[in-house]
């Protein structure tokens, strides 16, 4: 029985790795870990149905294990931005400040025709109208148009500084510390800190529990 | 200073994991002991000994196996339990027929089947892979 449970964990890790390699496009609506759990549960659940010689516990115990692991992984992801990045990946800018990032298309194995098609589905007829196009973690694309919409970039999420976002906007940690000092906050007190394209900073403090 | 409490669903998940660990451990120990007992009972059967004694031991073994097979069936593939049961029936029939050659073969095959059950219900690298 312990072998069945360990095999379940091994298959879970293996599927996590495989879907990460496949990329965001295969995932659709679900996050990575949710998709793996759904796939595994449906497969495992069918085993004793397909083969009556397989004891029920070979499905029930692994399903309980998968559900428990999924809950714990979700809990850890909520607590740790880094863990969330490792498990689910990050949103990727396909168009950034009006410029199409061709290297991103290559990395995610997306063609230009697919991008144009997605934009049309979102009601955008001309790629030139787009200020930001983001390939989200669930594989969907979201779009912010030029002039009409402004993009708020997250620099601190749940007390953790997003260093890559900070450096991509041309800022550094020293600049961020100074802004926090001016506002009278410490990094670990911040739930969300964003900055828009006009340099306006918005801070949401963590709630007292 | 306020204590941070664990969300309800996380607590439930941890309890489930703990229960699974306990059940698995108990199952491993119980199956291992049961198989030890059955293996000893099979090895104690003397094919060339007194017929009444051999017959009694074989029938006791059959009863013991029936009792334990229900427990095994919770976690072990029923096919594998069926294989062991078939070998046991062969042994019973061979002993009843006073066919010592067939009984020896059936005893050997039954020991092999019990060994296979031990391997499948146990915990090791080969059962994981």
């Amino acid at each position: 029985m312990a072998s069945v449970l360990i095999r379940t964990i091994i298959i879970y890790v293996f599927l996590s790795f495989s879907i990460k390699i496949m990329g965001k496009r295969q995932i659709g609506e679900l996050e990575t870990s949710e998709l793996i759990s759904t796939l595994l549960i449906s497969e495992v659940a069918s085993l004793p149905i397909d083969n009556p010689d397989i004891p029920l516990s070979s499905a029930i115990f692994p399903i309980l294990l998968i559900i428990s692991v999924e809950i714990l992984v979700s809990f850890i992801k909520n607590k740790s931005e880094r863990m969330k990045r490792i498990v689910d990946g990050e949103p990727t800018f396909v168009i950034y400040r009006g410029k199409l990032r061709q290297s991103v298309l290559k990395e995610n194995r997306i063609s230009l025709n697919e991008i144009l098609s997605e934009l049309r589905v979102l009601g955008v007829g001309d790629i030139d109208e787009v200020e930001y196009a983001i390939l989200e973690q669930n594989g969907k694309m979201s779009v912010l148009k030029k002039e009409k919409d402004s993009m708020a970039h997250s620099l601190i999420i749940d007390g953790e500084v997003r260093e890559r976002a900070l450096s991509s906007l041309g800022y550094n940690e020293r600049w961020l510390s100074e802004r926090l000092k001016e506002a009278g906050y410490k990094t670990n007190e911040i739930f969300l800190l964003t900055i828009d394209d006009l340099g306006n900073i918005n801070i949401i403090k963590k709630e007292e529990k | 200073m306020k204590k941070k409490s664990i969300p309800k669903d996380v607590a439930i998940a941890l309890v489930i994991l703990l229960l699974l660990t306990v059940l698995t451990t108990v199952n491993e120990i119980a199956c291992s002991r049961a198989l030890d007992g059955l293996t000893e009972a099979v090895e104690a059967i003397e094919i060339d000994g007194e017929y009444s004694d051999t017959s009694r031991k074989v029938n006791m073994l059959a009863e013991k196996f029936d009792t334990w097979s229900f427990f095994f069936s919770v976690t072990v593939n029923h096919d594998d339990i069926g294989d062991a049961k078939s070998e046991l029936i062969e042994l019973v029939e061979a002993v009843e027929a006073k066919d010592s050659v067939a009984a020896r073969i059936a005893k050997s095959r039954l020991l092999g089947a019990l060994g296979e059950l031990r391997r499948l219900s146990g915990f090791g690298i080969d059962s994981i892979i």
Side-chain angles (χ1 to χ4, degrees):
Chain A
M1 194 62 221
S3 311
V4 172
L5 297 179
I6 288 181
R7 274 193 262 166
T8 307
I9 295 284
I10 290 170
I11 291 168
Y12 181 93
V13 171
F14 174 77
L15 276 179
S16 303
F17 181 66
S18 302
I19 288 176
K20 203 127 197 243
I21 291 172
M22 282 192 294
K24 297 187 180 93
R25 300 193 54 204
Q26 274 69 23
I27 297 170
E29 298 282 347
L30 299 170
E31 288 188 343
T32 309
S33 56
E34 289 168 351
L35 176 65
I36 293 164
S37 302
T38 308
L39 285 173
L40 270 178
I41 287 170
S42 61
E43 281 299 316
V44 166
S46 69
L47 287 174
I49 298 167
D50 286 342
N51 187 348
D53 285 325
I54 295 174
L56 265 180
S57 59
S58 290
I60 291 168
F61 287 6
I63 288 172
L64 284 174
L65 178 62
I66 291 164
I67 290 167
S68 304
V69 168
E70 174 58 34
I71 290 170
L72 290 175
V73 167
S74 298
F75 178 70
I76 293 168
K77 279 193 307 184
N78 281 340
K79 289 289 179 190
S80 167
E81 187 60 24
R82 192 177 175 193
M83 186 66 178
K84 188 163 171 60
R85 273 202 307 273
I86 290 168
V87 176
D88 292 335
E90 281 185 297
T92 312
F93 284 97
V94 176
I95 297 173
Y96 187 78
R97 288 186 173 166
K99 194 180 171 196
L100 181 67
R101 298 172 77 197
Q102 295 176 39
S103 58
V104 169
L105 297 188
K106 231 179 185 177
E107 275 163 26
N108 289 278
R109 296 191 306 281
I110 305 170
S111 70
L112 184 55
N113 281 330
E114 285 170 296
I115 295 293
L116 295 174
S117 171
E118 284 286 334
L119 290 177
R120 284 194 295 272
V121 167
L122 293 166
V124 177
D126 184 359
I127 197 170
D128 205 37
E129 293 174 39
V130 179
E131 183 73 5
Y132 297 101
I134 304 144
L135 187 59
E136 304 288 356
Q137 287 141 306
N138 62 6
K140 296 251 175 197
M141 188 174 301
S142 49
V143 157
L144 293 163
K145 291 183 187 176
K146 285 179 182 173
E147 289 169 4
K148 289 182 186 172
D149 296 309
S150 175
M151 176 80 183
H153 305 270
S154 306
L155 297 182
I156 297 176
I157 293 177
D158 201 11
E160 282 189 40
V161 175
R162 300 185 70 224
E163 287 160 6
R164 278 168 66 178
L166 198 58
S167 58
S168 70
L169 291 168
Y171 301 117
N172 55 34
E173 288 218 39
R174 193 177 160 186
W175 172 89
L176 185 62
S177 298
E178 283 168 9
R179 299 288 84 73
L180 285 172
K181 205 175 175 182
E182 280 169 20
Y185 291 111
K186 292 179 188 170
T187 310
N188 59 6
E189 292 173 345
I190 307 290
F191 190 62
L192 177 66
L193 186 148
T194 61
I195 186 167
D196 66 16
D197 294 331
L198 299 171
N200 298 313
I201 292 175
N202 185 35
I203 295 174
I204 300 173
K205 198 183 163 192
K206 284 186 187 178
E207 283 176 357
E208 299 277 338
K209 284 184 185 171
Chain B
M1 191 173 155
K2 283 184 184 175
K3 283 184 184 175
K4 285 185 182 178
S5 59
I6 300 172
K8 198 167 119 184
D9 53 353
V10 174
I12 291 170
L14 289 171
V15 167
I16 290 173
L17 285 175
L18 181 64
L19 278 174
L20 284 174
T21 309
V22 167
L23 279 171
T24 305
T25 309
V26 166
N27 174 258
E28 293 286 331
I29 294 169
C31 279
S32 177
R33 284 192 180 161
L35 286 167
D36 281 344
L38 286 169
T39 306
E40 273 172 28
V42 173
E43 283 169 348
I45 295 169
E46 290 173 15
I47 302 297
D48 294 321
E50 200 178 310
Y51 166 75
S52 59
D53 185 50
T54 306
S55 180
R56 181 182 57 82
K57 282 181 180 172
V58 163
N59 287 322
M60 274 174 64
L61 174 65
E63 276 175 26
K64 209 173 179 179
F65 188 89
D66 277 340
T67 307
W68 280 108
S69 65
F70 176 77
F71 179 78
F72 292 142
S73 69
V74 174
T75 55
V76 178
N77 191 305
H78 302 167
D79 256 346
D80 297 310
I81 300 169
D83 287 344
K85 181 111 193 218
S86 298
E87 302 305 339
L88 177 57
I89 290 169
E90 294 271 348
L91 177 61
V92 169
E93 286 174 354
V95 166
E96 291 301 314
K98 297 184 183 176
D99 184 346
S100 59
V101 172
R104 238 182 244 109
I105 292 170
K107 179 181 169 181
S108 171
R109 286 169 65 158
L110 178 56
L111 283 171
L114 289 174
E116 186 62 13
L117 278 181
R118 178 190 297 283
R119 190 185 71 80
L120 291 168
S121 62
F123 176 61
I125 275 289
D126 57 342
S127 59
I128 292 169
I129 293 169

